[in-house]
mmCIF file of all heavy atoms in Angstrom:
data_model
loop_
_atom_site.group_PDB
_atom_site.id
_atom_site.type_symbol
_atom_site.label_atom_id
_atom_site.label_comp_id
_atom_site.label_asym_id
_atom_site.label_seq_id
_atom_site.Cartn_x
_atom_site.Cartn_y
_atom_site.Cartn_z
ATOM 1 N N ILE A 256 85.954 96.688 108.265
ATOM 2 C CA ILE A 256 86.582 98.005 108.398
ATOM 3 C C ILE A 256 88.042 97.767 108.758
ATOM 4 O O ILE A 256 88.342 97.209 109.820
ATOM 5 C CB ILE A 256 85.861 98.842 109.479
ATOM 6 C CG1 ILE A 256 84.357 98.898 109.170
ATOM 7 C CG2 ILE A 256 86.470 100.235 109.570
ATOM 8 C CD1 ILE A 256 83.506 99.388 110.319
ATOM 9 N N TYR A 257 88.941 98.194 107.870
ATOM 10 C CA TYR A 257 90.338 97.795 108.049
ATOM 11 C C TYR A 257 91.317 98.796 107.439
ATOM 12 O O TYR A 257 90.948 99.659 106.654
ATOM 13 C CB TYR A 257 90.571 96.416 107.434
ATOM 14 C CG TYR A 257 90.193 96.328 105.970
ATOM 15 C CD1 TYR A 257 91.139 96.518 104.973
ATOM 16 C CD2 TYR A 257 88.886 96.061 105.581
ATOM 17 C CE1 TYR A 257 90.794 96.442 103.629
ATOM 18 C CE2 TYR A 257 88.532 95.977 104.249
ATOM 19 C CZ TYR A 257 89.499 96.180 103.278
ATOM 20 O OH TYR A 257 89.150 96.108 101.948
ATOM 21 N N LEU A 258 92.575 98.626 107.827
ATOM 22 C CA LEU A 258 93.696 99.378 107.275
ATOM 23 C C LEU A 258 94.614 98.387 106.585
ATOM 24 O O LEU A 258 94.729 97.238 107.028
ATOM 25 C CB LEU A 258 94.501 100.066 108.383
ATOM 26 C CG LEU A 258 93.818 101.147 109.192
ATOM 27 C CD1 LEU A 258 93.094 100.550 110.374
ATOM 28 C CD2 LEU A 258 94.856 102.118 109.690
ATOM 29 N N HIS A 259 95.278 98.819 105.542
ATOM 30 C CA HIS A 259 96.272 97.982 104.871
ATOM 31 C C HIS A 259 97.663 98.234 105.447
ATOM 32 O O HIS A 259 98.009 99.357 105.772
ATOM 33 C CB HIS A 259 96.347 98.309 103.373
ATOM 34 C CG HIS A 259 95.261 97.708 102.576
ATOM 35 N ND1 HIS A 259 94.777 98.308 101.440
ATOM 36 C CD2 HIS A 259 94.548 96.572 102.723
ATOM 37 C CE1 HIS A 259 93.816 97.555 100.926
ATOM 38 N NE2 HIS A 259 93.654 96.508 101.695
ATOM 39 N N TYR A 260 98.428 97.168 105.521
ATOM 40 C CA TYR A 260 99.866 97.306 105.732
ATOM 41 C C TYR A 260 100.519 96.262 104.849
ATOM 42 O O TYR A 260 100.194 95.087 104.976
ATOM 43 C CB TYR A 260 100.276 97.085 107.195
ATOM 44 C CG TYR A 260 101.718 97.487 107.375
ATOM 45 C CD1 TYR A 260 102.058 98.821 107.508
ATOM 46 C CD2 TYR A 260 102.735 96.542 107.345
ATOM 47 C CE1 TYR A 260 103.381 99.202 107.629
ATOM 48 C CE2 TYR A 260 104.051 96.919 107.462
ATOM 49 C CZ TYR A 260 104.369 98.245 107.611
ATOM 50 O OH TYR A 260 105.678 98.623 107.713
ATOM 51 N N GLN A 261 101.281 96.712 103.978
ATOM 52 C CA GLN A 261 101.692 98.001 103.508
ATOM 53 C C GLN A 261 100.533 98.688 102.767
ATOM 54 O O GLN A 261 99.833 98.054 102.015
ATOM 55 C CB GLN A 261 102.846 97.834 102.512
ATOM 56 C CG GLN A 261 104.126 97.370 103.089
ATOM 57 C CD GLN A 261 104.971 98.570 103.581
ATOM 58 O OE1 GLN A 261 104.737 99.738 103.260
ATOM 59 N NE2 GLN A 261 105.934 98.291 104.380
ATOM 60 N N PRO A 262 100.415 100.009 102.947
ATOM 61 C CA PRO A 262 99.350 100.712 102.236
ATOM 62 C C PRO A 262 99.737 100.969 100.777
ATOM 63 O O PRO A 262 100.913 100.989 100.437
ATOM 64 C CB PRO A 262 99.248 102.035 103.004
ATOM 65 C CG PRO A 262 100.617 102.251 103.569
ATOM 66 C CD PRO A 262 101.166 100.873 103.860
ATOM 67 N N SER A 263 98.724 101.180 99.948
ATOM 68 C CA SER A 263 98.994 101.477 98.538
ATOM 69 C C SER A 263 99.422 102.932 98.355
ATOM 70 O O SER A 263 100.060 103.273 97.362
ATOM 71 C CB SER A 263 97.772 101.163 97.677
ATOM 72 O OG SER A 263 96.636 101.813 98.200
ATOM 73 N N TYR A 264 99.073 103.808 99.296
ATOM 74 C CA TYR A 264 99.585 105.183 99.301
ATOM 75 C C TYR A 264 99.753 105.598 100.758
ATOM 76 O O TYR A 264 99.030 105.151 101.644
ATOM 77 C CB TYR A 264 98.680 106.160 98.535
ATOM 78 C CG TYR A 264 97.215 106.116 98.895
ATOM 79 C CD1 TYR A 264 96.682 106.962 99.860
ATOM 80 C CD2 TYR A 264 96.355 105.232 98.252
ATOM 81 C CE1 TYR A 264 95.333 106.930 100.174
ATOM 82 C CE2 TYR A 264 95.006 105.190 98.560
ATOM 83 C CZ TYR A 264 94.510 106.038 99.527
ATOM 84 O OH TYR A 264 93.179 105.997 99.836
ATOM 85 N N HIS A 265 100.740 106.437 100.997
ATOM 86 C CA HIS A 265 101.149 106.771 102.358
ATOM 87 C C HIS A 265 100.473 108.032 102.890
ATOM 88 O O HIS A 265 101.087 109.079 103.042
ATOM 89 C CB HIS A 265 102.674 106.854 102.443
ATOM 90 C CG HIS A 265 103.304 105.506 102.306
ATOM 91 N ND1 HIS A 265 103.412 104.626 103.356
ATOM 92 C CD2 HIS A 265 103.797 104.864 101.232
ATOM 93 C CE1 HIS A 265 103.970 103.509 102.941
ATOM 94 N NE2 HIS A 265 104.212 103.626 101.644
ATOM 95 N N HIS A 266 99.189 107.901 103.138
ATOM 96 C CA HIS A 266 98.367 108.860 103.860
ATOM 97 C C HIS A 266 97.343 107.985 104.551
ATOM 98 O O HIS A 266 96.651 107.194 103.877
ATOM 99 C CB HIS A 266 97.679 109.849 102.912
ATOM 100 C CG HIS A 266 96.818 110.831 103.642
ATOM 101 N ND1 HIS A 266 97.275 112.073 104.012
ATOM 102 C CD2 HIS A 266 95.553 110.736 104.107
ATOM 103 C CE1 HIS A 266 96.310 112.711 104.662
ATOM 104 N NE2 HIS A 266 95.255 111.921 104.732
ATOM 105 N N LEU A 267 97.239 108.070 105.878
ATOM 106 C CA LEU A 267 96.386 107.128 106.597
ATOM 107 C C LEU A 267 94.967 107.146 106.043
ATOM 108 O O LEU A 267 94.352 108.212 105.909
ATOM 109 C CB LEU A 267 96.363 107.426 108.096
ATOM 110 C CG LEU A 267 95.657 106.333 108.906
ATOM 111 C CD1 LEU A 267 96.505 105.065 108.953
ATOM 112 C CD2 LEU A 267 95.325 106.807 110.305
ATOM 113 N N HIS A 268 94.479 105.973 105.721
ATOM 114 C CA HIS A 268 93.117 105.807 105.241
ATOM 115 C C HIS A 268 92.586 104.469 105.735
ATOM 116 O O HIS A 268 93.345 103.545 105.996
ATOM 117 C CB HIS A 268 93.045 105.904 103.712
ATOM 118 C CG HIS A 268 93.915 104.913 103.001
ATOM 119 N ND1 HIS A 268 95.290 105.048 102.902
ATOM 120 C CD2 HIS A 268 93.595 103.772 102.336
ATOM 121 C CE1 HIS A 268 95.781 104.023 102.215
ATOM 122 N NE2 HIS A 268 94.768 103.237 101.864
ATOM 123 N N VAL A 269 91.272 104.409 105.882
ATOM 124 C CA VAL A 269 90.602 103.218 106.397
ATOM 125 C C VAL A 269 89.584 102.762 105.360
ATOM 126 O O VAL A 269 88.822 103.567 104.817
ATOM 127 C CB VAL A 269 89.912 103.501 107.746
ATOM 128 C CG1 VAL A 269 89.163 102.281 108.251
ATOM 129 C CG2 VAL A 269 90.933 103.979 108.784
ATOM 130 N N HIS A 270 89.570 101.457 105.101
ATOM 131 C CA HIS A 270 88.660 100.860 104.124
ATOM 132 C C HIS A 270 87.385 100.381 104.814
ATOM 133 O O HIS A 270 87.448 99.763 105.874
ATOM 134 C CB HIS A 270 89.333 99.656 103.453
ATOM 135 C CG HIS A 270 90.611 100.000 102.768
ATOM 136 N ND1 HIS A 270 90.704 100.162 101.408
ATOM 137 C CD2 HIS A 270 91.860 100.221 103.253
ATOM 138 C CE1 HIS A 270 91.941 100.467 101.087
ATOM 139 N NE2 HIS A 270 92.667 100.518 102.193
ATOM 140 N N PHE A 271 86.256 100.653 104.192
ATOM 141 C CA PHE A 271 84.951 100.141 104.627
ATOM 142 C C PHE A 271 84.393 99.339 103.458
ATOM 143 O O PHE A 271 84.120 99.914 102.397
ATOM 144 C CB PHE A 271 83.981 101.296 104.924
ATOM 145 C CG PHE A 271 84.270 102.063 106.176
ATOM 146 C CD1 PHE A 271 85.305 102.991 106.230
ATOM 147 C CD2 PHE A 271 83.489 101.878 107.312
ATOM 148 C CE1 PHE A 271 85.558 103.725 107.379
ATOM 149 C CE2 PHE A 271 83.738 102.608 108.473
ATOM 150 C CZ PHE A 271 84.775 103.530 108.507
ATOM 151 N N THR A 272 84.245 98.039 103.630
ATOM 152 C CA THR A 272 83.693 97.213 102.559
ATOM 153 C C THR A 272 82.548 96.359 103.091
ATOM 154 O O THR A 272 82.466 96.095 104.290
ATOM 155 C CB THR A 272 84.761 96.281 101.933
ATOM 156 O OG1 THR A 272 85.247 95.379 102.927
ATOM 157 C CG2 THR A 272 85.921 97.071 101.352
ATOM 158 N N ALA A 273 81.682 95.942 102.172
ATOM 159 C CA ALA A 273 80.621 95.013 102.541
ATOM 160 C C ALA A 273 81.261 93.721 103.016
ATOM 161 O O ALA A 273 82.244 93.243 102.434
ATOM 162 C CB ALA A 273 79.715 94.748 101.338
ATOM 163 N N LEU A 274 80.734 93.168 104.082
ATOM 164 C CA LEU A 274 81.311 91.969 104.693
ATOM 165 C C LEU A 274 81.427 90.814 103.705
ATOM 166 O O LEU A 274 82.416 90.097 103.706
ATOM 167 C CB LEU A 274 80.463 91.563 105.901
ATOM 168 C CG LEU A 274 81.069 90.572 106.880
ATOM 169 C CD1 LEU A 274 82.411 91.063 107.398
ATOM 170 C CD2 LEU A 274 80.112 90.353 108.040
ATOM 171 N N GLY A 275 80.461 90.670 102.829
ATOM 172 C CA GLY A 275 80.480 89.571 101.866
ATOM 173 C C GLY A 275 81.342 89.815 100.645
ATOM 174 O O GLY A 275 81.521 88.912 99.819
ATOM 175 N N TYR A 276 81.883 91.006 100.505
ATOM 176 C CA TYR A 276 82.680 91.355 99.327
ATOM 177 C C TYR A 276 84.144 90.996 99.571
ATOM 178 O O TYR A 276 84.747 91.428 100.539
ATOM 179 C CB TYR A 276 82.524 92.841 99.027
ATOM 180 C CG TYR A 276 83.361 93.356 97.886
ATOM 181 C CD1 TYR A 276 83.424 92.686 96.671
ATOM 182 C CD2 TYR A 276 84.083 94.528 98.015
ATOM 183 C CE1 TYR A 276 84.189 93.168 95.624
ATOM 184 C CE2 TYR A 276 84.845 95.039 96.968
ATOM 185 C CZ TYR A 276 84.895 94.341 95.784
ATOM 186 O OH TYR A 276 85.652 94.824 94.740
ATOM 187 N N ASP A 277 84.698 90.208 98.678
ATOM 188 C CA ASP A 277 86.103 89.817 98.779
ATOM 189 C C ASP A 277 86.949 90.884 98.089
ATOM 190 O O ASP A 277 87.448 90.694 96.986
ATOM 191 C CB ASP A 277 86.298 88.441 98.131
ATOM 192 C CG ASP A 277 87.689 87.880 98.362
ATOM 193 O OD1 ASP A 277 88.378 88.339 99.293
ATOM 194 O OD2 ASP A 277 88.092 86.988 97.595
ATOM 195 N N ALA A 278 87.083 92.008 98.756
ATOM 196 C CA ALA A 278 87.793 93.150 98.182
ATOM 197 C C ALA A 278 89.282 92.863 98.070
ATOM 198 O O ALA A 278 89.850 92.163 98.912
ATOM 199 C CB ALA A 278 87.572 94.384 99.047
ATOM 200 N N PRO A 279 89.938 93.396 97.042
ATOM 201 C CA PRO A 279 91.386 93.242 96.937
ATOM 202 C C PRO A 279 92.066 93.792 98.192
ATOM 203 O O PRO A 279 91.739 94.888 98.651
ATOM 204 C CB PRO A 279 91.755 94.091 95.713
ATOM 205 C CG PRO A 279 90.485 94.251 94.942
ATOM 206 C CD PRO A 279 89.379 94.194 95.950
ATOM 207 N N GLY A 280 92.965 93.012 98.766
ATOM 208 C CA GLY A 280 93.692 93.459 99.950
ATOM 209 C C GLY A 280 92.952 93.272 101.258
ATOM 210 O O GLY A 280 93.403 93.750 102.292
ATOM 211 N N SER A 281 91.804 92.588 101.231
ATOM 212 C CA SER A 281 91.062 92.396 102.479
ATOM 213 C C SER A 281 91.456 91.113 103.201
ATOM 214 O O SER A 281 90.942 90.822 104.272
ATOM 215 C CB SER A 281 89.549 92.400 102.215
ATOM 216 O OG SER A 281 89.173 91.291 101.420
ATOM 217 N N ALA A 282 92.407 90.362 102.644
ATOM 218 C CA ALA A 282 92.860 89.118 103.276
ATOM 219 C C ALA A 282 93.693 89.427 104.516
ATOM 220 O O ALA A 282 94.255 90.509 104.670
ATOM 221 C CB ALA A 282 93.683 88.294 102.283
ATOM 222 N N VAL A 283 93.799 88.447 105.371
ATOM 223 C CA VAL A 283 94.459 88.614 106.662
ATOM 224 C C VAL A 283 95.926 89.033 106.542
ATOM 225 O O VAL A 283 96.457 89.689 107.432
ATOM 226 C CB VAL A 283 94.303 87.328 107.509
ATOM 227 C CG1 VAL A 283 95.125 86.193 106.926
ATOM 228 C CG2 VAL A 283 94.662 87.586 108.952
ATOM 229 N N GLU A 284 96.586 88.709 105.442
ATOM 230 C CA GLU A 284 98.001 89.067 105.302
ATOM 231 C C GLU A 284 98.214 90.566 105.183
ATOM 232 O O GLU A 284 99.295 91.055 105.452
ATOM 233 C CB GLU A 284 98.612 88.409 104.051
ATOM 234 C CG GLU A 284 98.591 86.908 104.062
ATOM 235 C CD GLU A 284 97.279 86.351 103.527
ATOM 236 O OE1 GLU A 284 96.482 87.102 102.897
ATOM 237 O OE2 GLU A 284 97.041 85.159 103.745
ATOM 238 N N ARG A 285 97.205 91.286 104.755
ATOM 239 C CA ARG A 285 97.374 92.716 104.497
ATOM 240 C C ARG A 285 96.431 93.595 105.301
ATOM 241 O O ARG A 285 96.745 94.743 105.601
ATOM 242 C CB ARG A 285 97.174 92.977 103.008
ATOM 243 C CG ARG A 285 97.495 94.388 102.618
ATOM 244 C CD ARG A 285 97.878 94.492 101.168
ATOM 245 N NE ARG A 285 98.175 95.881 100.861
ATOM 246 C CZ ARG A 285 97.735 96.517 99.819
ATOM 247 N NH1 ARG A 285 97.002 95.889 98.920
ATOM 248 N NH2 ARG A 285 98.047 97.772 99.620
ATOM 249 N N ALA A 286 95.265 93.079 105.651
ATOM 250 C CA ALA A 286 94.234 93.881 106.310
ATOM 251 C C ALA A 286 94.323 93.744 107.831
ATOM 252 O O ALA A 286 94.451 92.650 108.363
ATOM 253 C CB ALA A 286 92.853 93.448 105.825
ATOM 254 N N HIS A 287 94.249 94.889 108.493
ATOM 255 C CA HIS A 287 94.237 94.935 109.954
ATOM 256 C C HIS A 287 92.922 95.594 110.359
ATOM 257 O O HIS A 287 92.692 96.775 110.038
ATOM 258 C CB HIS A 287 95.437 95.737 110.483
ATOM 259 C CG HIS A 287 96.738 95.100 110.129
ATOM 260 N ND1 HIS A 287 97.438 94.302 111.011
ATOM 261 C CD2 HIS A 287 97.450 95.113 108.978
ATOM 262 C CE1 HIS A 287 98.544 93.867 110.419
ATOM 263 N NE2 HIS A 287 98.558 94.343 109.181
ATOM 264 N N LEU A 288 92.054 94.837 111.025
ATOM 265 C CA LEU A 288 90.740 95.350 111.387
ATOM 266 C C LEU A 288 90.875 96.560 112.306
ATOM 267 O O LEU A 288 91.664 96.545 113.266
ATOM 268 C CB LEU A 288 89.912 94.267 112.066
ATOM 269 C CG LEU A 288 89.551 93.059 111.198
ATOM 270 C CD1 LEU A 288 88.836 92.004 112.023
ATOM 271 C CD2 LEU A 288 88.719 93.477 109.994
ATOM 272 N N LEU A 289 90.113 97.603 112.015
ATOM 273 C CA LEU A 289 90.207 98.833 112.783
ATOM 274 C C LEU A 289 89.889 98.594 114.253
ATOM 275 O O LEU A 289 90.554 99.148 115.127
ATOM 276 C CB LEU A 289 89.293 99.914 112.197
ATOM 277 C CG LEU A 289 89.297 101.269 112.914
ATOM 278 C CD1 LEU A 289 90.702 101.855 113.012
ATOM 279 C CD2 LEU A 289 88.360 102.236 112.216
ATOM 280 N N ALA A 290 88.907 97.764 114.557
ATOM 281 C CA ALA A 290 88.579 97.480 115.960
ATOM 282 C C ALA A 290 89.772 96.845 116.675
ATOM 283 O O ALA A 290 90.045 97.170 117.840
ATOM 284 C CB ALA A 290 87.351 96.575 116.047
ATOM 285 N N ASP A 291 90.494 95.960 115.993
ATOM 286 C CA ASP A 291 91.684 95.343 116.589
ATOM 287 C C ASP A 291 92.798 96.370 116.771
ATOM 288 O O ASP A 291 93.510 96.352 117.783
ATOM 289 C CB ASP A 291 92.194 94.197 115.717
ATOM 290 C CG ASP A 291 91.262 93.002 115.708
ATOM 291 O OD1 ASP A 291 90.369 92.917 116.582
ATOM 292 O OD2 ASP A 291 91.423 92.148 114.813
ATOM 293 N N VAL A 292 92.970 97.250 115.795
ATOM 294 C CA VAL A 292 93.992 98.300 115.895
ATOM 295 C C VAL A 292 93.708 99.168 117.121
ATOM 296 O O VAL A 292 94.617 99.471 117.907
ATOM 297 C CB VAL A 292 94.044 99.145 114.607
ATOM 298 C CG1 VAL A 292 94.923 100.371 114.789
ATOM 299 C CG2 VAL A 292 94.529 98.295 113.430
ATOM 300 N N ILE A 293 92.455 99.552 117.310
ATOM 301 C CA ILE A 293 92.069 100.364 118.465
ATOM 302 C C ILE A 293 92.381 99.624 119.761
ATOM 303 O O ILE A 293 92.980 100.188 120.687
ATOM 304 C CB ILE A 293 90.576 100.758 118.374
ATOM 305 C CG1 ILE A 293 90.377 101.769 117.238
ATOM 306 C CG2 ILE A 293 90.063 101.307 119.709
ATOM 307 C CD1 ILE A 293 88.926 102.050 116.876
ATOM 308 N N ASP A 294 92.002 98.353 119.837
ATOM 309 C CA ASP A 294 92.277 97.557 121.050
ATOM 310 C C ASP A 294 93.775 97.434 121.302
ATOM 311 O O ASP A 294 94.228 97.562 122.447
ATOM 312 C CB ASP A 294 91.656 96.162 120.934
ATOM 313 C CG ASP A 294 90.149 96.160 121.098
ATOM 314 O OD1 ASP A 294 89.583 97.176 121.572
ATOM 315 O OD2 ASP A 294 89.525 95.147 120.749
ATOM 316 N N ASN A 295 94.550 97.187 120.263
ATOM 317 C CA ASN A 295 95.996 97.037 120.429
ATOM 318 C C ASN A 295 96.631 98.325 120.944
ATOM 319 O O ASN A 295 97.497 98.288 121.828
ATOM 320 C CB ASN A 295 96.652 96.622 119.110
ATOM 321 C CG ASN A 295 96.296 95.206 118.711
ATOM 322 O OD1 ASN A 295 95.933 94.380 119.539
ATOM 323 N ND2 ASN A 295 96.373 94.927 117.427
ATOM 324 N N LEU A 296 96.219 99.468 120.403
ATOM 325 C CA LEU A 296 96.774 100.747 120.835
ATOM 326 C C LEU A 296 96.314 101.135 122.236
ATOM 327 O O LEU A 296 97.050 101.783 122.981
ATOM 328 C CB LEU A 296 96.431 101.851 119.842
ATOM 329 C CG LEU A 296 97.104 101.739 118.476
ATOM 330 C CD1 LEU A 296 96.535 102.766 117.516
ATOM 331 C CD2 LEU A 296 98.618 101.881 118.601
ATOM 332 N N ALA A 297 95.102 100.736 122.600
ATOM 333 C CA ALA A 297 94.608 101.011 123.955
ATOM 334 C C ALA A 297 95.406 100.211 124.986
ATOM 335 O O ALA A 297 95.601 100.663 126.112
ATOM 336 C CB ALA A 297 93.116 100.681 124.043
ATOM 337 N N THR A 298 95.894 99.047 124.584
ATOM 338 C CA THR A 298 96.694 98.199 125.466
ATOM 339 C C THR A 298 98.149 98.644 125.513
ATOM 340 O O THR A 298 98.777 98.642 126.565
ATOM 341 C CB THR A 298 96.620 96.727 124.979
ATOM 342 O OG1 THR A 298 95.253 96.324 124.964
ATOM 343 C CG2 THR A 298 97.404 95.808 125.893
ATOM 344 N N ASP A 299 98.691 99.019 124.344
ATOM 345 C CA ASP A 299 100.104 99.388 124.236
ATOM 346 C C ASP A 299 100.240 100.492 123.192
ATOM 347 O O ASP A 299 100.087 100.245 121.999
ATOM 348 C CB ASP A 299 100.927 98.159 123.832
ATOM 349 C CG ASP A 299 102.398 98.441 123.631
ATOM 350 O OD1 ASP A 299 102.839 99.604 123.800
ATOM 351 O OD2 ASP A 299 103.128 97.493 123.289
ATOM 352 N N SER A 300 100.560 101.696 123.647
ATOM 353 C CA SER A 300 100.617 102.860 122.767
ATOM 354 C C SER A 300 101.592 102.696 121.603
ATOM 355 O O SER A 300 101.367 103.230 120.525
ATOM 356 C CB SER A 300 100.987 104.105 123.569
ATOM 357 O OG SER A 300 101.036 105.232 122.728
ATOM 358 N N SER A 301 102.659 101.961 121.798
ATOM 359 C CA SER A 301 103.666 101.810 120.737
ATOM 360 C C SER A 301 103.582 100.445 120.041
ATOM 361 O O SER A 301 104.543 100.005 119.412
ATOM 362 C CB SER A 301 105.068 102.034 121.305
ATOM 363 O OG SER A 301 105.334 101.099 122.328
ATOM 364 N N TYR A 302 102.436 99.821 120.123
ATOM 365 C CA TYR A 302 102.236 98.475 119.568
ATOM 366 C C TYR A 302 102.727 98.371 118.120
ATOM 367 O O TYR A 302 103.465 97.461 117.771
ATOM 368 C CB TYR A 302 100.748 98.118 119.645
ATOM 369 C CG TYR A 302 100.428 96.719 119.179
ATOM 370 C CD1 TYR A 302 100.470 95.649 120.059
ATOM 371 C CD2 TYR A 302 100.061 96.461 117.862
ATOM 372 C CE1 TYR A 302 100.168 94.359 119.650
ATOM 373 C CE2 TYR A 302 99.758 95.177 117.435
ATOM 374 C CZ TYR A 302 99.821 94.142 118.332
ATOM 375 O OH TYR A 302 99.525 92.868 117.914
#
């Protein structure tokens, strides 16, 4: 479960993919796991 940065379109959206599926854009360079995003924002609002 992740967000892209840079996104392909500029309206917040979250991707849900099967863990075993190598979805386009799911690599670490572009995908930010939603659980990590939540933790980062809980620690620092302007992260």
Side-chain angles (χ1 to χ4, degrees):
I256 306 166
Y257 56 94
L258 295 88
H259 281 150
Y260 190 80
Q261 291 272 345
S263 53
Y264 50 93
H265 290 278
H266 179 95
L267 189 71
H268 57 284
V269 177
H270 302 258
F271 287 77
T272 62
L274 195 55
Y276 176 47
D277 188 19
S281 65
V283 70
E284 299 86 14
R285 187 155 180 226
H287 297 262
L288 295 175
L289 180 56
D291 291 345
V292 170
I293 290 170
D294 286 346
N295 290 337
L296 292 172
T298 302
D299 177 0
S300 180
S301 60
Y302 184 88

